[in-house]
Amino acid sequence: MISTFVRAVAVVLLLAAGQTPAAARVFDPETFTLANGMQVVVVTNRRAPIVTHMVWYRAGAGDEVQGRSGIAHFLEHLMFKGTEEVGPGEFSRIVARNGGRDNAFTSHDYTGYFQNVARDRLEAVMRLESDRMANLSLREDEVLSERDVILEERRQVIDSRPPARLREQLFAALFLNHPYGRPIIGWLHEMRTLTRQDAIDWYRRWYAPNNAVLIVAGDISAAELRPLAERTYGAIPARPVPARARPQEPPPQTARRVELRDERVQQPNFSRLWLAPSYRSPGGEHAYALEVLADILGGGQTARLPRALVEERNLAVNAGAFYDPDALDQTTFGISASPRPGVDIAALEAAVDEELARVVADGVSPGEVARAIQRMQDSAVFGRDSLQTGARVFGQVLTTGGTIEDVEQWPERIAAVTAEQVNAAARAVLRPEASVTGLLLPRVRR
Amino acid sequence: MNRTSRIGRRALLRVAAGAPALALLRGAPAHAAAAIERVSSPGGIQAWLIVDRSLPLLSLEFNFRGGAATLPAGKEGLAPMTASLLTEGAGDLDTQAFNAIKEDRSISLGFGGGVDAMTGSLRTLTRHRDEAVRLAALALNQPRFDAAAIERARARMTAAVQRGANDPQTLASRLWFRTAFPDHPYGRRVNGSVESLAGLTRDDIAAFHRARFARDNLVIGAVGDIDAAGLGALLDRIFGGLPARAAPNDVPAATMAGTGQTLVLQRPLPQTYVLFGEPGLLRADPDFYVATVMNHILGGGGFSARLMLEVRERRGLTYGVSSGLAAYDRSGLILGSFSSDNARAAEALAIVRAEWRRMANDGVTAEELADAKSNINGSFPLGLDSTARLAGTLASIQYQDLGIDYIERRPSYIDAVTRADIQRVARRLLDADRLLVVAVGQAAGLAGTPVQDAG
């Protein structure tokens, strides 16, 4: 569990890292839209003659039909299986031959594809990527063999890892109705039944230029990119794409607890998730304050939870908090802690409860808020130190209902957060009935 | 960002047991390479610098030769524990005071303890540089090693060891290295065991700190918003107070044992994790570039590599399979791994062995060679999009003594590799029957010697 949450925190920080102090421009991107409706964002960075080229589709596991879980991720894999012009597996080989690196990723809200290449190879990868946007060609044997690959992926990244199995259960317990409760990779029994036709249906439904965002970061300007984009993606006609209407959560009624006992667990873990608003969901006025709250609770060794649990009370070996505001629908706020060897997990949970009760009852101080804001703004410059960060931030925001302005104004909005707002957000979100608590425990063989 | 995690198409290679940085070395953009300056501080500390004013920040990466392998048996875990304690209070700052400054000033300062070297990194905004330098100097020269901080580190590392106690990759790595190096420090556990961690004392920590952090075993790379004079002054403040000489780094050459064995560790897992390897090359070996290209085609080149093509793309037997050169200071290895369904792991291993033989017997085609060269050289600058990565590369090049013009010359080393070279080196290195194979899981039909624990 803990490594998962550490990663989640890193993601939040990464996003924070994309920002600069108030009043400065953040990434200062250029943007335009092709005639077919495809949005284009360019983040110029002339440090080296290289570019990151990404296409993000506004479709992810949260858009799947019930019973077909895993199809968004399966299609991501199958996008490498060729078109009429490019044979199976050739895509990555051509990118490699051009000195590039490529991969893809799937979340509940988006599916993305990227290539990192030298500037002079950009048009070559744009031709490839636009070709598979319109001309995917799937052979039955290729589909079946790749289905075995995703089944192996599931066994490797979830079924072999007790913390990942527990997390899957936690999200399933937290979301009663929304597809965020289903694993991105899919439930095993449904993955096994996915077919070539499922993949083709998914592809035809969502993979259209008007449902995609092109993001290029690096040694290029919008004026230089536009003709390339028009020659490649611009030639693909727009198609009607359905609205992303997902079933929403009912008001939560009761706190839930999930325990996973496994004989392979030797290091227990405690975690808790709450339903929380995202930037764009109802209650989104709390989102910026929740980012500050996550930093105050878990954003470093001197944050509240690590200081209290690890250093002062010697109960935990680590403790953290995370919050993920970039989601199309209601999202999660979470905390996690691992007990010191020999410490009873119930004692750790009681201490966590005390810390949270203190936040809700007494609130955080203006000084804590000021320090958090400063750190979040400082981390901006570090985010601009990498070519990927800006591209990723725009991809996430633009596929979850946000705008370029949302990114560019982030520092000012964070700077405007007050202690009163953090406290109001904490009271609104840290409610027992909106939570699920997870315990990862050893199973003692008798 | 998504709700939980993103999942991607490619399994990243998990490098076994603290593989050295240089196995992952990537090149820099040519224009950056041209700008490397040698800086010698007034106090005589040497560093390489690339001035980059595009952002108001500075990245410093440094290595001290000699790590966990210099320690006697029984002190496993001491190297990383010492490294982590450097930032847990120093001088008149206790843990909370030290970290409060560090976090409030957004200073990244961290140390690591590897098998061959101790590592450090510092990253700071220009406006907080003075405080960053003060913290780095305190951490290196006056760490407190307070009793409470030691106990916290011991608890944290013990918990981490327990977390890995049933992790197939951790188990396989332990068993593999213990078998390959039964009488050498490379066979020991860098991060320690519950027992070894329990026995480490403050005296051990203080002595290891004195032994390994010195001026004569130090290499430094710096990139960012600073000039040579500014860097020189900074180097003296951070490193000038260290002892002139480190204790000897007299780790003997390590010859791999256990070749040809297949060891099976039964565990109730849905998949079998397989780790395989045999002797490779030291970084200084003249055939290292040939081996790099050979391995790229065999298993290092991602989706284009033969192993990925045959085991995953053609047969769907795994999510990811790869091989890599692991050039430790005293031993070179070629290592690979995959996870596969218990019922099919034996088949996947048979294909890996067949690919090993095919490479040894037939070498590579002209097209494969050309593609590999264009990928290796073309992707050269892609990994260097941040000041920290570039600084790390500068430190690595010095650590391996590759020369200040290495970044410019590396493409020509790769381009010079011929099919005949690869055939020769493949025959020299790759022997499918000599692989030491460790399998953790419940593989059906995978013949091997059963072992009870990973040691």
Side-chain angles (χ1 to χ4, degrees), chain A residues 47 152 180 184 301-302 324 326 371 378 385, chain B residues 1-3 5 31 103 127 271 385 387:
Chain A
R47 241 192 207 169
E152 290 300 330
Y180 286 165
I184 296 165
Q301 277 180 272
T302 56
D324 173 14
D326 268 312
R371 287 175 61 202
D378 273 353
D385 194 19
Chain B
M1 198 60 217
N2 60 307
R3 327 265 334 128
S5 66
H31 66 88
E103 291 173 5
R127 74 188 154 91
Q271 275 184 327
D385 66 329
T387 55

mmCIF file with all atom_site columns, all heavy atoms in Angstrom, chain A residues 47 152 180 184 301-302 324 326 371 378 385, chain B residues 1-3 5 31 103 127 271 385 387:
data_model
loop_
_atom_site.group_PDB
_atom_site.id
_atom_site.type_symbol
_atom_site.label_atom_id
_atom_site.label_alt_id
_atom_site.label_comp_id
_atom_site.label_asym_id
_atom_site.label_entity_id
_atom_site.label_seq_id
_atom_site.pdbx_PDB_ins_code
_atom_site.Cartn_x
_atom_site.Cartn_y
_atom_site.Cartn_z
_atom_site.occupancy
_atom_site.B_iso_or_equiv
_atom_site.pdbx_formal_charge
_atom_site.auth_seq_id
_atom_site.auth_comp_id
_atom_site.auth_asym_id
_atom_site.auth_atom_id
_atom_site.pdbx_PDB_model_num
ATOM 1   N N   . ARG A 1 47  ? 16.059  24.017  -25.120 1.00 0.00 ? 47  ARG A N   1
ATOM 2   C CA  . ARG A 1 47  ? 17.290  23.547  -24.497 1.00 0.00 ? 47  ARG A CA  1
ATOM 3   C C   . ARG A 1 47  ? 18.060  22.526  -25.325 1.00 0.00 ? 47  ARG A C   1
ATOM 4   O O   . ARG A 1 47  ? 19.272  22.510  -25.339 1.00 0.00 ? 47  ARG A O   1
ATOM 5   C CB  . ARG A 1 47  ? 16.917  22.867  -23.185 1.00 0.00 ? 47  ARG A CB  1
ATOM 6   C CG  . ARG A 1 47  ? 17.506  23.516  -21.988 1.00 0.00 ? 47  ARG A CG  1
ATOM 7   C CD  . ARG A 1 47  ? 17.305  22.561  -20.832 1.00 0.00 ? 47  ARG A CD  1
ATOM 8   N NE  . ARG A 1 47  ? 17.251  23.292  -19.599 1.00 0.00 ? 47  ARG A NE  1
ATOM 9   C CZ  . ARG A 1 47  ? 16.869  22.760  -18.450 1.00 0.00 ? 47  ARG A CZ  1
ATOM 10  N NH1 . ARG A 1 47  ? 16.498  21.496  -18.411 1.00 0.00 ? 47  ARG A NH1 1
ATOM 11  N NH2 . ARG A 1 47  ? 16.865  23.480  -17.372 1.00 0.00 ? 47  ARG A NH2 1
ATOM 12  N N   . GLU A 1 152 ? -1.242  -11.512 -18.241 1.00 0.00 ? 152 GLU A N   1
ATOM 13  C CA  . GLU A 1 152 ? 0.039   -11.599 -17.522 1.00 0.00 ? 152 GLU A CA  1
ATOM 14  C C   . GLU A 1 152 ? 0.324   -10.291 -16.785 1.00 0.00 ? 152 GLU A C   1
ATOM 15  O O   . GLU A 1 152 ? 0.842   -10.291 -15.674 1.00 0.00 ? 152 GLU A O   1
ATOM 16  C CB  . GLU A 1 152 ? 1.186   -11.911 -18.484 1.00 0.00 ? 152 GLU A CB  1
ATOM 17  C CG  . GLU A 1 152 ? 1.180   -13.323 -19.058 1.00 0.00 ? 152 GLU A CG  1
ATOM 18  C CD  . GLU A 1 152 ? 1.278   -14.404 -17.988 1.00 0.00 ? 152 GLU A CD  1
ATOM 19  O OE1 . GLU A 1 152 ? 1.890   -14.175 -16.932 1.00 0.00 ? 152 GLU A OE1 1
ATOM 20  O OE2 . GLU A 1 152 ? 0.703   -15.493 -18.210 1.00 0.00 ? 152 GLU A OE2 1
ATOM 21  N N   . TYR A 1 180 ? -15.140 4.501   -11.381 1.00 0.00 ? 180 TYR A N   1
ATOM 22  C CA  . TYR A 1 180 ? -13.826 4.620   -10.739 1.00 0.00 ? 180 TYR A CA  1
ATOM 23  C C   . TYR A 1 180 ? -13.593 3.465   -9.759  1.00 0.00 ? 180 TYR A C   1
ATOM 24  O O   . TYR A 1 180 ? -12.465 3.223   -9.339  1.00 0.00 ? 180 TYR A O   1
ATOM 25  C CB  . TYR A 1 180 ? -13.707 5.941   -9.973  1.00 0.00 ? 180 TYR A CB  1
ATOM 26  C CG  . TYR A 1 180 ? -13.541 7.175   -10.837 1.00 0.00 ? 180 TYR A CG  1
ATOM 27  C CD1 . TYR A 1 180 ? -13.746 8.449   -10.286 1.00 0.00 ? 180 TYR A CD1 1
ATOM 28  C CD2 . TYR A 1 180 ? -13.166 7.092   -12.173 1.00 0.00 ? 180 TYR A CD2 1
ATOM 29  C CE1 . TYR A 1 180 ? -13.597 9.601   -11.043 1.00 0.00 ? 180 TYR A CE1 1
ATOM 30  C CE2 . TYR A 1 180 ? -13.012 8.249   -12.944 1.00 0.00 ? 180 TYR A CE2 1
ATOM 31  C CZ  . TYR A 1 180 ? -13.235 9.498   -12.366 1.00 0.00 ? 180 TYR A CZ  1
ATOM 32  O OH  . TYR A 1 180 ? -13.073 10.637  -13.115 1.00 0.00 ? 180 TYR A OH  1
ATOM 33  N N   . ILE A 1 184 ? -8.595  -0.161  -13.555 1.00 0.00 ? 184 ILE A N   1
ATOM 34  C CA  . ILE A 1 184 ? -8.295  0.258   -14.927 1.00 0.00 ? 184 ILE A CA  1
ATOM 35  C C   . ILE A 1 184 ? -7.971  -0.946  -15.797 1.00 0.00 ? 184 ILE A C   1
ATOM 36  O O   . ILE A 1 184 ? -8.430  -1.056  -16.931 1.00 0.00 ? 184 ILE A O   1
ATOM 37  C CB  . ILE A 1 184 ? -7.095  1.234   -14.927 1.00 0.00 ? 184 ILE A CB  1
ATOM 38  C CG1 . ILE A 1 184 ? -7.447  2.507   -14.177 1.00 0.00 ? 184 ILE A CG1 1
ATOM 39  C CG2 . ILE A 1 184 ? -6.677  1.559   -16.359 1.00 0.00 ? 184 ILE A CG2 1
ATOM 40  C CD1 . ILE A 1 184 ? -6.232  3.354   -13.815 1.00 0.00 ? 184 ILE A CD1 1
ATOM 41  N N   . GLN A 1 301 ? 8.765   15.303  5.480   1.00 0.00 ? 301 GLN A N   1
ATOM 42  C CA  . GLN A 1 301 ? 9.017   14.717  6.798   1.00 0.00 ? 301 GLN A CA  1
ATOM 43  C C   . GLN A 1 301 ? 8.520   15.587  7.948   1.00 0.00 ? 301 GLN A C   1
ATOM 44  O O   . GLN A 1 301 ? 8.289   15.102  9.042   1.00 0.00 ? 301 GLN A O   1
ATOM 45  C CB  . GLN A 1 301 ? 10.503  14.478  6.991   1.00 0.00 ? 301 GLN A CB  1
ATOM 46  C CG  . GLN A 1 301 ? 11.000  13.193  6.381   1.00 0.00 ? 301 GLN A CG  1
ATOM 47  C CD  . GLN A 1 301 ? 12.488  13.037  6.616   1.00 0.00 ? 301 GLN A CD  1
ATOM 48  O OE1 . GLN A 1 301 ? 13.293  13.512  5.829   1.00 0.00 ? 301 GLN A OE1 1
ATOM 49  N NE2 . GLN A 1 301 ? 12.864  12.386  7.700   1.00 0.00 ? 301 GLN A NE2 1
ATOM 50  N N   . THR A 1 302 ? 8.411   16.905  7.681   1.00 0.00 ? 302 THR A N   1
ATOM 51  C CA  . THR A 1 302 ? 7.951   17.785  8.744   1.00 0.00 ? 302 THR A CA  1
ATOM 52  C C   . THR A 1 302 ? 6.450   18.031  8.672   1.00 0.00 ? 302 THR A C   1
ATOM 53  O O   . THR A 1 302 ? 5.915   18.805  9.447   1.00 0.00 ? 302 THR A O   1
ATOM 54  C CB  . THR A 1 302 ? 8.688   19.143  8.705   1.00 0.00 ? 302 THR A CB  1
ATOM 55  O OG1 . THR A 1 302 ? 8.503   19.719  7.402   1.00 0.00 ? 302 THR A OG1 1
ATOM 56  C CG2 . THR A 1 302 ? 10.162  18.958  8.951   1.00 0.00 ? 302 THR A CG2 1
ATOM 57  N N   . ASP A 1 324 ? -5.884  13.883  -5.515  1.00 0.00 ? 324 ASP A N   1
ATOM 58  C CA  . ASP A 1 324 ? -5.754  13.907  -6.960  1.00 0.00 ? 324 ASP A CA  1
ATOM 59  C C   . ASP A 1 324 ? -6.895  14.715  -7.565  1.00 0.00 ? 324 ASP A C   1
ATOM 60  O O   . ASP A 1 324 ? -7.968  14.178  -7.822  1.00 0.00 ? 324 ASP A O   1
ATOM 61  C CB  . ASP A 1 324 ? -5.778  12.452  -7.440  1.00 0.00 ? 324 ASP A CB  1
ATOM 62  C CG  . ASP A 1 324 ? -5.820  12.370  -8.936  1.00 0.00 ? 324 ASP A CG  1
ATOM 63  O OD1 . ASP A 1 324 ? -5.574  13.393  -9.588  1.00 0.00 ? 324 ASP A OD1 1
ATOM 64  O OD2 . ASP A 1 324 ? -6.110  11.281  -9.447  1.00 0.00 ? 324 ASP A OD2 1
ATOM 65  N N   . ASP A 1 326 ? -7.228  16.211  -10.473 1.00 0.00 ? 326 ASP A N   1
ATOM 66  C CA  . ASP A 1 326 ? -7.465  16.166  -11.916 1.00 0.00 ? 326 ASP A CA  1
ATOM 67  C C   . ASP A 1 326 ? -8.260  14.941  -12.293 1.00 0.00 ? 326 ASP A C   1
ATOM 68  O O   . ASP A 1 326 ? -7.715  13.945  -12.756 1.00 0.00 ? 326 ASP A O   1
ATOM 69  C CB  . ASP A 1 326 ? -6.131  16.155  -12.671 1.00 0.00 ? 326 ASP A CB  1
ATOM 70  C CG  . ASP A 1 326 ? -5.701  17.559  -13.024 1.00 0.00 ? 326 ASP A CG  1
ATOM 71  O OD1 . ASP A 1 326 ? -6.532  18.312  -13.547 1.00 0.00 ? 326 ASP A OD1 1
ATOM 72  O OD2 . ASP A 1 326 ? -4.536  17.884  -12.761 1.00 0.00 ? 326 ASP A OD2 1
ATOM 73  N N   . ARG A 1 371 ? 3.455   28.210  4.534   1.00 0.00 ? 371 ARG A N   1
ATOM 74  C CA  . ARG A 1 371 ? 4.613   27.364  4.193   1.00 0.00 ? 371 ARG A CA  1
ATOM 75  C C   . ARG A 1 371 ? 4.267   26.412  3.046   1.00 0.00 ? 371 ARG A C   1
ATOM 76  O O   . ARG A 1 371 ? 5.061   26.204  2.134   1.00 0.00 ? 371 ARG A O   1
ATOM 77  C CB  . ARG A 1 371 ? 5.044   26.559  5.419   1.00 0.00 ? 371 ARG A CB  1
ATOM 78  C CG  . ARG A 1 371 ? 5.748   27.373  6.477   1.00 0.00 ? 371 ARG A CG  1
ATOM 79  C CD  . ARG A 1 371 ? 6.027   26.523  7.720   1.00 0.00 ? 371 ARG A CD  1
ATOM 80  N NE  . ARG A 1 371 ? 6.896   25.393  7.409   1.00 0.00 ? 371 ARG A NE  1
ATOM 81  C CZ  . ARG A 1 371 ? 6.962   24.279  8.145   1.00 0.00 ? 371 ARG A CZ  1
ATOM 82  N NH1 . ARG A 1 371 ? 6.208   24.143  9.214   1.00 0.00 ? 371 ARG A NH1 1
ATOM 83  N NH2 . ARG A 1 371 ? 7.787   23.316  7.806   1.00 0.00 ? 371 ARG A NH2 1
ATOM 84  N N   . ASP A 1 378 ? 7.353   27.050  -5.152  1.00 0.00 ? 378 ASP A N   1
ATOM 85  C CA  . ASP A 1 378 ? 8.777   26.821  -5.451  1.00 0.00 ? 378 ASP A CA  1
ATOM 86  C C   . ASP A 1 378 ? 8.969   25.640  -6.388  1.00 0.00 ? 378 ASP A C   1
ATOM 87  O O   . ASP A 1 378 ? 9.828   25.655  -7.279  1.00 0.00 ? 378 ASP A O   1
ATOM 88  C CB  . ASP A 1 378 ? 9.537   26.498  -4.153  1.00 0.00 ? 378 ASP A CB  1
ATOM 89  C CG  . ASP A 1 378 ? 10.022  27.741  -3.437  1.00 0.00 ? 378 ASP A CG  1
ATOM 90  O OD1 . ASP A 1 378 ? 9.880   28.835  -4.011  1.00 0.00 ? 378 ASP A OD1 1
ATOM 91  O OD2 . ASP A 1 378 ? 10.558  27.611  -2.323  1.00 0.00 ? 378 ASP A OD2 1
ATOM 92  N N   . ASP A 1 385 ? 12.000  22.000  -15.324 1.00 0.00 ? 385 ASP A N   1
ATOM 93  C CA  . ASP A 1 385 ? 13.325  21.462  -15.623 1.00 0.00 ? 385 ASP A CA  1
ATOM 94  C C   . ASP A 1 385 ? 13.237  20.222  -16.518 1.00 0.00 ? 385 ASP A C   1
ATOM 95  O O   . ASP A 1 385 ? 14.234  19.768  -17.048 1.00 0.00 ? 385 ASP A O   1
ATOM 96  C CB  . ASP A 1 385 ? 14.016  21.110  -14.292 1.00 0.00 ? 385 ASP A CB  1
ATOM 97  C CG  . ASP A 1 385 ? 15.507  20.876  -14.456 1.00 0.00 ? 385 ASP A CG  1
ATOM 98  O OD1 . ASP A 1 385 ? 16.069  21.317  -15.487 1.00 0.00 ? 385 ASP A OD1 1
ATOM 99  O OD2 . ASP A 1 385 ? 16.107  20.256  -13.573 1.00 0.00 ? 385 ASP A OD2 1
ATOM 100 N N   . MET B 2 1   ? -4.970  13.740  -13.449 1.00 0.00 ? 1   MET B N   1
ATOM 101 C CA  . MET B 2 1   ? -4.410  12.417  -13.185 1.00 0.00 ? 1   MET B CA  1
ATOM 102 C C   . MET B 2 1   ? -5.537  11.458  -12.862 1.00 0.00 ? 1   MET B C   1
ATOM 103 O O   . MET B 2 1   ? -6.608  11.835  -12.440 1.00 0.00 ? 1   MET B O   1
ATOM 104 C CB  . MET B 2 1   ? -3.447  12.542  -12.007 1.00 0.00 ? 1   MET B CB  1
ATOM 105 C CG  . MET B 2 1   ? -2.481  11.392  -11.863 1.00 0.00 ? 1   MET B CG  1
ATOM 106 S SD  . MET B 2 1   ? -1.450  11.192  -13.284 1.00 0.00 ? 1   MET B SD  1
ATOM 107 C CE  . MET B 2 1   ? -1.317  9.438   -13.372 1.00 0.00 ? 1   MET B CE  1
ATOM 108 N N   . ASN B 2 2   ? -5.262  10.218  -13.046 1.00 0.00 ? 2   ASN B N   1
ATOM 109 C CA  . ASN B 2 2   ? -6.289  9.212   -12.829 1.00 0.00 ? 2   ASN B CA  1
ATOM 110 C C   . ASN B 2 2   ? -6.539  8.957   -11.354 1.00 0.00 ? 2   ASN B C   1
ATOM 111 O O   . ASN B 2 2   ? -5.870  9.462   -10.486 1.00 0.00 ? 2   ASN B O   1
ATOM 112 C CB  . ASN B 2 2   ? -5.828  7.934   -13.479 1.00 0.00 ? 2   ASN B CB  1
ATOM 113 C CG  . ASN B 2 2   ? -4.543  7.504   -12.867 1.00 0.00 ? 2   ASN B CG  1
ATOM 114 O OD1 . ASN B 2 2   ? -3.623  8.283   -12.819 1.00 0.00 ? 2   ASN B OD1 1
ATOM 115 N ND2 . ASN B 2 2   ? -4.484  6.324   -12.366 1.00 0.00 ? 2   ASN B ND2 1
ATOM 116 N N   . ARG B 2 3   ? -7.469  8.128   -11.092 1.00 0.00 ? 3   ARG B N   1
ATOM 117 C CA  . ARG B 2 3   ? -7.865  7.824   -9.751  1.00 0.00 ? 3   ARG B CA  1
ATOM 118 C C   . ARG B 2 3   ? -6.786  7.105   -8.962  1.00 0.00 ? 3   ARG B C   1
ATOM 119 O O   . ARG B 2 3   ? -6.549  7.404   -7.823  1.00 0.00 ? 3   ARG B O   1
ATOM 120 C CB  . ARG B 2 3   ? -9.060  6.874   -9.762  1.00 0.00 ? 3   ARG B CB  1
ATOM 121 C CG  . ARG B 2 3   ? -9.964  7.097   -10.916 1.00 0.00 ? 3   ARG B CG  1
ATOM 122 C CD  . ARG B 2 3   ? -11.071 7.978   -10.535 1.00 0.00 ? 3   ARG B CD  1
ATOM 123 N NE  . ARG B 2 3   ? -11.244 7.821   -9.119  1.00 0.00 ? 3   ARG B NE  1
ATOM 124 C CZ  . ARG B 2 3   ? -11.265 8.863   -8.323  1.00 0.00 ? 3   ARG B CZ  1
ATOM 125 N NH1 . ARG B 2 3   ? -11.105 10.064  -8.823  1.00 0.00 ? 3   ARG B NH1 1
ATOM 126 N NH2 . ARG B 2 3   ? -11.448 8.694   -7.061  1.00 0.00 ? 3   ARG B NH2 1
ATOM 127 N N   . SER B 2 5   ? -3.814  4.632   -10.441 1.00 0.00 ? 5   SER B N   1
ATOM 128 C CA  . SER B 2 5   ? -2.512  4.715   -11.077 1.00 0.00 ? 5   SER B CA  1
ATOM 129 C C   . SER B 2 5   ? -2.760  4.638   -12.560 1.00 0.00 ? 5   SER B C   1
ATOM 130 O O   . SER B 2 5   ? -3.810  4.236   -13.006 1.00 0.00 ? 5   SER B O   1
ATOM 131 C CB  . SER B 2 5   ? -1.648  3.547   -10.646 1.00 0.00 ? 5   SER B CB  1
ATOM 132 O OG  . SER B 2 5   ? -2.218  2.353   -11.144 1.00 0.00 ? 5   SER B OG  1
ATOM 133 N N   . HIS B 2 31  ? 25.396  19.795  -28.106 1.00 0.00 ? 31  HIS B N   1
ATOM 134 C CA  . HIS B 2 31  ? 25.729  21.174  -27.736 1.00 0.00 ? 31  HIS B CA  1
ATOM 135 C C   . HIS B 2 31  ? 26.032  21.305  -26.262 1.00 0.00 ? 31  HIS B C   1
ATOM 136 O O   . HIS B 2 31  ? 26.816  22.140  -25.846 1.00 0.00 ? 31  HIS B O   1
ATOM 137 C CB  . HIS B 2 31  ? 24.632  22.150  -28.179 1.00 0.00 ? 31  HIS B CB  1
ATOM 138 C CG  . HIS B 2 31  ? 23.339  21.970  -27.473 1.00 0.00 ? 31  HIS B CG  1
ATOM 139 N ND1 . HIS B 2 31  ? 23.061  22.588  -26.299 1.00 0.00 ? 31  HIS B ND1 1
ATOM 140 C CD2 . HIS B 2 31  ? 22.263  21.228  -27.786 1.00 0.00 ? 31  HIS B CD2 1
ATOM 141 C CE1 . HIS B 2 31  ? 21.840  22.245  -25.911 1.00 0.00 ? 31  HIS B CE1 1
ATOM 142 N NE2 . HIS B 2 31  ? 21.343  21.421  -26.790 1.00 0.00 ? 31  HIS B NE2 1
ATOM 143 N N   . GLU B 2 103 ? 12.775  21.563  3.751   1.00 0.00 ? 103 GLU B N   1
ATOM 144 C CA  . GLU B 2 103 ? 11.466  21.552  3.095   1.00 0.00 ? 103 GLU B CA  1
ATOM 145 C C   . GLU B 2 103 ? 10.931  22.967  2.850   1.00 0.00 ? 103 GLU B C   1
ATOM 146 O O   . GLU B 2 103 ? 10.349  23.240  1.801   1.00 0.00 ? 103 GLU B O   1
ATOM 147 C CB  . GLU B 2 103 ? 10.484  20.711  3.918   1.00 0.00 ? 103 GLU B CB  1
ATOM 148 C CG  . GLU B 2 103 ? 10.865  19.236  3.853   1.00 0.00 ? 103 GLU B CG  1
ATOM 149 C CD  . GLU B 2 103 ? 10.059  18.330  4.763   1.00 0.00 ? 103 GLU B CD  1
ATOM 150 O OE1 . GLU B 2 103 ? 9.105   18.809  5.409   1.00 0.00 ? 103 GLU B OE1 1
ATOM 151 O OE2 . GLU B 2 103 ? 10.380  17.135  4.819   1.00 0.00 ? 103 GLU B OE2 1
ATOM 152 N N   . ARG B 2 127 ? 17.814  31.115  -5.431  1.00 0.00 ? 127 ARG B N   1
ATOM 153 C CA  . ARG B 2 127 ? 17.612  32.014  -4.295  1.00 0.00 ? 127 ARG B CA  1
ATOM 154 C C   . ARG B 2 127 ? 17.761  31.309  -2.953  1.00 0.00 ? 127 ARG B C   1
ATOM 155 O O   . ARG B 2 127 ? 17.881  31.960  -1.925  1.00 0.00 ? 127 ARG B O   1
ATOM 156 C CB  . ARG B 2 127 ? 16.283  32.753  -4.406  1.00 0.00 ? 127 ARG B CB  1
ATOM 157 C CG  . ARG B 2 127 ? 15.035  31.979  -4.131  1.00 0.00 ? 127 ARG B CG  1
ATOM 158 C CD  . ARG B 2 127 ? 13.816  32.834  -4.490  1.00 0.00 ? 127 ARG B CD  1
ATOM 159 N NE  . ARG B 2 127 ? 12.688  32.005  -4.825  1.00 0.00 ? 127 ARG B NE  1
ATOM 160 C CZ  . ARG B 2 127 ? 11.777  31.586  -3.932  1.00 0.00 ? 127 ARG B CZ  1
ATOM 161 N NH1 . ARG B 2 127 ? 11.873  31.932  -2.675  1.00 0.00 ? 127 ARG B NH1 1
ATOM 162 N NH2 . ARG B 2 127 ? 10.792  30.811  -4.316  1.00 0.00 ? 127 ARG B NH2 1
ATOM 163 N N   . GLN B 2 271 ? 2.122   -16.229 -10.564 1.00 0.00 ? 271 GLN B N   1
ATOM 164 C CA  . GLN B 2 271 ? 3.103   -16.226 -11.645 1.00 0.00 ? 271 GLN B CA  1
ATOM 165 C C   . GLN B 2 271 ? 4.435   -16.734 -11.120 1.00 0.00 ? 271 GLN B C   1
ATOM 166 O O   . GLN B 2 271 ? 4.688   -16.707 -9.915  1.00 0.00 ? 271 GLN B O   1
ATOM 167 C CB  . GLN B 2 271 ? 3.364   -14.797 -12.128 1.00 0.00 ? 271 GLN B CB  1
ATOM 168 C CG  . GLN B 2 271 ? 2.403   -14.267 -13.145 1.00 0.00 ? 271 GLN B CG  1
ATOM 169 C CD  . GLN B 2 271 ? 2.826   -12.887 -13.605 1.00 0.00 ? 271 GLN B CD  1
ATOM 170 O OE1 . GLN B 2 271 ? 3.376   -12.111 -12.845 1.00 0.00 ? 271 GLN B OE1 1
ATOM 171 N NE2 . GLN B 2 271 ? 2.566   -12.586 -14.848 1.00 0.00 ? 271 GLN B NE2 1
ATOM 172 N N   . ASP B 2 385 ? 16.929  15.540  -20.376 1.00 0.00 ? 385 ASP B N   1
ATOM 173 C CA  . ASP B 2 385 ? 16.085  16.723  -20.459 1.00 0.00 ? 385 ASP B CA  1
ATOM 174 C C   . ASP B 2 385 ? 16.034  17.475  -19.146 1.00 0.00 ? 385 ASP B C   1
ATOM 175 O O   . ASP B 2 385 ? 15.333  18.456  -19.037 1.00 0.00 ? 385 ASP B O   1
ATOM 176 C CB  . ASP B 2 385 ? 14.670  16.344  -20.920 1.00 0.00 ? 385 ASP B CB  1
ATOM 177 C CG  . ASP B 2 385 ? 13.948  15.488  -19.902 1.00 0.00 ? 385 ASP B CG  1
ATOM 178 O OD1 . ASP B 2 385 ? 14.640  14.733  -19.205 1.00 0.00 ? 385 ASP B OD1 1
ATOM 179 O OD2 . ASP B 2 385 ? 12.717  15.576  -19.809 1.00 0.00 ? 385 ASP B OD2 1
ATOM 180 N N   . THR B 2 387 ? 18.348  19.029  -15.574 1.00 0.00 ? 387 THR B N   1
ATOM 181 C CA  . THR B 2 387 ? 19.689  19.321  -15.062 1.00 0.00 ? 387 THR B CA  1
ATOM 182 C C   . THR B 2 387 ? 20.197  18.189  -14.171 1.00 0.00 ? 387 THR B C   1
ATOM 183 O O   . THR B 2 387 ? 21.381  17.881  -14.180 1.00 0.00 ? 387 THR B O   1
ATOM 184 C CB  . THR B 2 387 ? 19.676  20.634  -14.255 1.00 0.00 ? 387 THR B CB  1
ATOM 185 O OG1 . THR B 2 387 ? 18.680  20.534  -13.230 1.00 0.00 ? 387 THR B OG1 1
ATOM 186 C CG2 . THR B 2 387 ? 19.379  21.830  -15.134 1.00 0.00 ? 387 THR B CG2 1
#
